[in-house]
Amino acid sequence: MQTRKWLGKTLTLALLPLAMSSAWAQDEHKAVTESEMKYQAGTSPLGDVEMHQDVNPKAPKMSAEEFEKARQIYFERCAGCHGVLRKGATGKPLTPDITLEKGTEYLKVFINFGSPAGMPNWGTSGELSEADVDMMARYVQQTPPTPPEFGMADMKETWKVLVPPEKRPTKKMNKYNLDNIFSVTLRDTGEVMLIDGDTKEVVNIVKTGYAVHISRTSASGRYLYVIGRDAKINLIDLWMEKPDNVAEIRTGLEARSVETSKAKGFEDKYAIAGSYWPPQFVIMNGDTLEPLKIVATRGMTVDTQEYHPEPRVASIVGSHDKPEFVVNVKETGKILLVDYTDIKALKTTEIEAARYLHDGGWDKSKRYFMVAANNSNKIAAVDVKEGKLAGLIDVGAIPHPGRGANFDHPKYGPVWATGHLGDETIALIGTDPEKHPDSAWKMVESLKGQGGGSLFLKTHPKSKNLWVDTALNPDEAISQSIAVYDIENLDKGFEVLPIAEWAGVGEGAKRVLQPEYNVAGDEVWFSIWSAKNQESAIVIVDDKTRKLKHVIKHPKLITPTGKFNIYNTQHDVY
């Protein structure tokens, strides 16, 4: 029987008409790239949460053991695309009203071979056995199990103040240059490694939650807030002789974002965390993590005006000039400006943008917040001063900026840049409506990059370089290198630096990601991310010469991903 390669999958031609015949299998907007599949289909900590099996008489029979195994597989491999309640996100909805009509045999085809819309070929790739494919086809016809809610009582049960504020140092008790400390995520060990950027020595390895997503610095620079995918937040006091945990809490069952109050008069007063599940955010005391206020994000979407039961909270940033948090809600496509002046009388401005909101950062002036709407291929620009949408800009396929990058373009003035998961371009957006009105809120230039699969890009006010990673590109030569542009001469294209080769580590994926500057802006740090049983490293490059400067290796440097310089994170320098 003939076979054909299709999106990297081998598909039997006899089954090709079935796979292509259903509009349900297609995405009316775009195909999903291999890079995005890798990114979206990450493990969810909800796989270990106890849930109730609701026996649906219309659905195929499943034993309790099969249901539990299938549920775990779903949350490990599918929930990132199809949603906790299977209502759909990047992937199509998989609710019983749809799946029962398709039937087990039909569903097995898609699970086994994948689809043109980008669903992985779980069966033919060897990820799932034939029995597993059959089991998953029956599972998605069952009533989706609902994870438990997580309210104030649940949070307080997990809340621990390890060192009360009154017993903490009244002044800095160490000799570290705190501005140049790096908080490095050790993804698979549930820790962060604090590295002294001056000496390149390890300060401490701090136990945290599962698969830390980000680290954020308080307005004063004293406290470091770290959040894992399991919604555990750790508060680290950098003034201690050896910086370490002083408080912790879980604010949900799955999460990605944490931030602190930065406005004058509110420095270090509040912290905020957003959850993937339950869909909500919580405001806490900044120095103890005591939960004070929980706000749900369930509501109507911006486009179809339909109710969505699980709008996940993506990125959150704190305004430097106003007592506001900018909260970005994925599935509804709404940006919330949350005024924390009085949390008992919370004032929230709801701004309609586009779906699905993800990550972003401030423009150069810190008046405008730029956030990616991944599946709409747009960047939303929010005027925080005026409390309104400044622009909705079309960019490339699946923008993923991290915080983005700000620099002065020789022709268009101040611009903010984003890379993309779905194509090779880097979009430059004008951000100065006063002095460059013709360029504002437009993609003024699209640079050609190495390829799709970019997660982060970065520059620095003291640098003339723009660094762009391609960590999720399927080509190893691309994922293991970095592209660097001369900001003053963008037309000449990029130079490729073999960062993974410079690391001198052994076998492994060696994906190069997340350029991060030191406080002086003369060094760029890169993560070399391999599997937890393989050697990883941090590679440091001289920003001016683009030459290797240093390699950090350590037995505990396991699966490093994000790195956050304390000063740059504190002041949103990118």
Side-chain angles (χ1 to χ4, degrees):
M1 186 175 289
Q2 288 181 292
T3 61
R4 176 177 295 171
K5 282 286 187 180
W6 191 19
L7 291 178
K9 312 167 184 66
T10 302
L11 188 65
T12 306
L13 286 185
L15 294 170
L16 190 59
L18 175 62
M20 297 192 68
S21 64
S22 172
W24 173 74
Q26 307 285 335
D27 188 312
E28 60 271 24
H29 301 296
K30 62 174 180 60
V32 180
T33 65
E34 182 176 347
S35 299
E36 189 187 16
M37 284 187 278
K38 288 181 183 177
Y39 180 73
Q40 297 286 1
T43 301
S44 165
L46 289 171
D48 295 325
V49 175
E50 187 174 337
M51 299 182 200
H52 173 67
Q53 179 181 359
D54 180 9
V55 180
N56 185 343
K58 296 182 180 179
K61 290 183 179 180
M62 292 192 81
S63 68
E65 291 76 18
E66 284 182 314
F67 185 88
E68 188 58 28
K69 181 181 178 182
R71 185 181 70 82
Q72 190 163 14
I73 290 174
Y74 179 83
F75 281 103
E76 286 179 350
R77 305 183 184 186
C78 315
C81 288
H82 297 286
V84 170
L85 302 179
R86 306 210 306 259
K87 293 284 187 178
T90 303
K92 291 290 185 180
L94 294 174
T95 47
D97 59 313
I98 297 170
T99 54
L100 283 169
E101 182 181 337
K102 302 299 178 186
T104 302
E105 294 304 315
Y106 193 89
L107 292 166
K108 283 166 63 175
V109 172
F110 291 107
I111 296 170
N112 197 41
F113 293 103
S115 81
M119 184 168 135
N121 54 326
W122 296 112
T124 57
S125 67
E127 291 280 342
L128 296 179
S129 68
E130 185 176 345
D132 287 339
V133 169
D134 177 79
M135 179 179 66
M136 294 308 296
R138 287 180 287 128
Y139 173 78
V140 296
Q141 296 175 72
Q142 313 292 321
T143 302
T146 303
E149 298 295 318
F150 205 88
M152 185 62 74
D154 301 299
M155 292 183 195
K156 288 193 172 181
E157 280 187 11
T158 70
W159 173 47
K160 298 177 184 176
V161 180
L162 306 173
V163 182
E166 62 271 16
K167 293 187 178 180
R168 296 174 197 167
T170 56
K171 61 180 181 179
K172 187 164 80 78
M173 300 300 290
N174 58 64
K175 295 182 180 180
Y176 299 116
N177 173 13
L178 296 185
D179 283 349
N180 206 30
I181 296 289
F182 287 75
S183 176
V184 181
T185 296
L186 306 182
R187 178 187 171 100
D188 291 327
T189 66
E191 296 169 313
V192 293
M193 178 180 283
L194 303 180
I195 299 178
D196 184 336
D198 293 347
T199 66
K200 313 302 187 285
E201 297 294 324
V202 175
V203 173
N204 198 12
I205 298 174
V206 182
K207 201 68 185 172
T208 60
Y210 158 80
V212 165
H213 197 65
I214 56 171
S215 298
R216 288 288 175 260
T217 313
S218 70
S220 69
R222 172 176 182 167
Y223 291 115
L224 184 68
Y225 298 80
V226 177
I227 190 166
R229 285 195 173 195
D230 58 357
K232 183 179 181 181
I233 302 170
N234 290 84
L235 177 63
I236 299 170
D237 186 353
L238 298 173
W239 280 12
M240 296 171 70
E241 188 173 346
K242 178 180 281 189
D244 209 338
N245 283 321
V246 292
E248 63 181 47
I249 192 173
R250 283 192 74 183
T251 57
L253 298 174
E254 184 172 3
R256 298 293 188 277
S257 53
V258 68
E259 180 61 299
T260 71
S261 54
K262 295 183 175 179
K264 186 176 181 180
F266 292 90
E267 297 92 337
D268 298 17
K269 183 172 183 178
Y270 293 124
I272 182 173
S275 297
Y276 269 27
W277 188 270
Q280 62 192 29
F281 62 85
V282 58
I283 298 174
M284 300 160 281
N285 270 328
D287 60 356
T288 66
L289 301 182
E290 178 186 7
L292 303 173
K293 179 88 170 182
I294 303 173
V295 180
T297 55
R298 292 178 171 103
M300 314 306 284
T301 62
V302 297
D303 40 22
T304 57
Q305 299 287 301
E306 293 177 301
Y307 177 76
H308 202 292
E310 54 168 315
R312 299 172 287 180
V313 177
S315 53
I316 302 177
V317 295
S319 172
H320 292 261
D321 300 319
K322 296 176 70 176
E324 283 185 344
F325 293 121
V326 184
V327 179
N328 300 281
V329 186
K330 292 177 79 78
E331 278 74 16
T332 57
K334 293 177 180 178
I335 301 166
L336 309 178
L337 305 184
V338 181
D339 183 336
Y340 52 75
T341 306
D342 182 355
I343 65 169
K344 291 187 179 296
L346 208 63
K347 300 181 182 70
T348 301
T349 301
E350 182 180 282
I351 299 173
E352 293 188 356
R355 298 200 286 175
Y356 299 113
L357 297 176
H358 190 58
D359 57 348
W362 294 102
D363 80 307
K364 181 180 178 181
S365 72
K366 296 184 176 65
R367 172 174 174 172
Y368 303 97
F369 181 68
M370 315 288 288
V371 60
N374 289 157
N375 284 61
S376 300
N377 297 335
K378 297 179 186 294
I379 297 292
V382 178
D383 183 344
V384 175
K385 182 178 180 179
E386 297 293 333
K388 64 181 182 181
L389 193 69
L392 200 55
I393 305 104
D394 291 318
V395 291
I398 319 165
H400 193 286
R403 290 299 203 183
N406 289 297
F407 61 91
D408 289 325
H409 192 282
K411 180 178 180 181
Y412 302 109
V415 297
W416 179 89
T418 180
H420 299 85
L421 279 165
D423 67 34
E424 64 185 9
T425 66
I426 296 95
L428 308 183
I429 297 169
T431 60
D432 184 5
E434 293 185 9
K435 295 182 180 179
H436 299 82
D438 293 341
S439 304
W441 320 131
K442 298 175 185 175
M443 184 173 69
V444 295
E445 190 169 352
S446 178
L447 306 177
K448 182 180 179 181
Q450 280 206 88
S454 176
L455 288 176
F456 303 101
L457 75 173
K458 193 67 66 74
T459 187
H460 189 278
K462 296 180 181 178
S463 173
K464 299 299 181 184
N465 290 323
L466 174 66
W467 305 83
V468 184
D469 74 20
T470 40
L472 295 187
N473 194 283
D475 185 330
E476 284 190 358
I478 295 175
S479 66
Q480 295 181 3
S481 60
I482 201 81
V484 55
Y485 298 78
D486 180 350
I487 288 171
E488 296 181 337
N489 191 5
L490 293 168
D491 290 341
K492 74 176 184 181
F494 55 85
E495 179 183 2
V496 177
L497 301 183
I499 303 295
E501 180 182 318
W502 288 352
V505 297
E507 295 296 318
K510 293 180 285 192
R511 287 173 286 194
V512 175
L513 76 156
Q514 209 231 356
E516 178 78 351
Y517 276 85
N518 65 343
V519 66
D522 58 9
E523 292 178 354
V524 193
W525 293 37
F526 299 93
S527 294
I528 311 302
W529 176 23
S530 282
K532 60 185 176 182
N533 60 346
Q534 294 167 323
E535 188 177 24
S536 292
I538 301 291
V539 170
I540 301 170
V541 176
D542 185 295
D543 182 69
K544 186 175 182 179
T545 65
R546 300 183 181 179
K547 302 295 185 183
L548 174 65
K549 189 171 182 179
H550 193 82
V551 178
I552 298 175
K553 295 182 180 179
H554 191 282
K556 293 283 287 181
L557 192 62
I558 298 169
T559 57
T561 50
K563 304 165 303 304
F564 303 91
N565 173 269
I566 295 299
Y567 182 89
N568 293 339
T569 303
Q570 176 186 357
H571 297 281
D572 287 300
V573 177
Y574 29 81

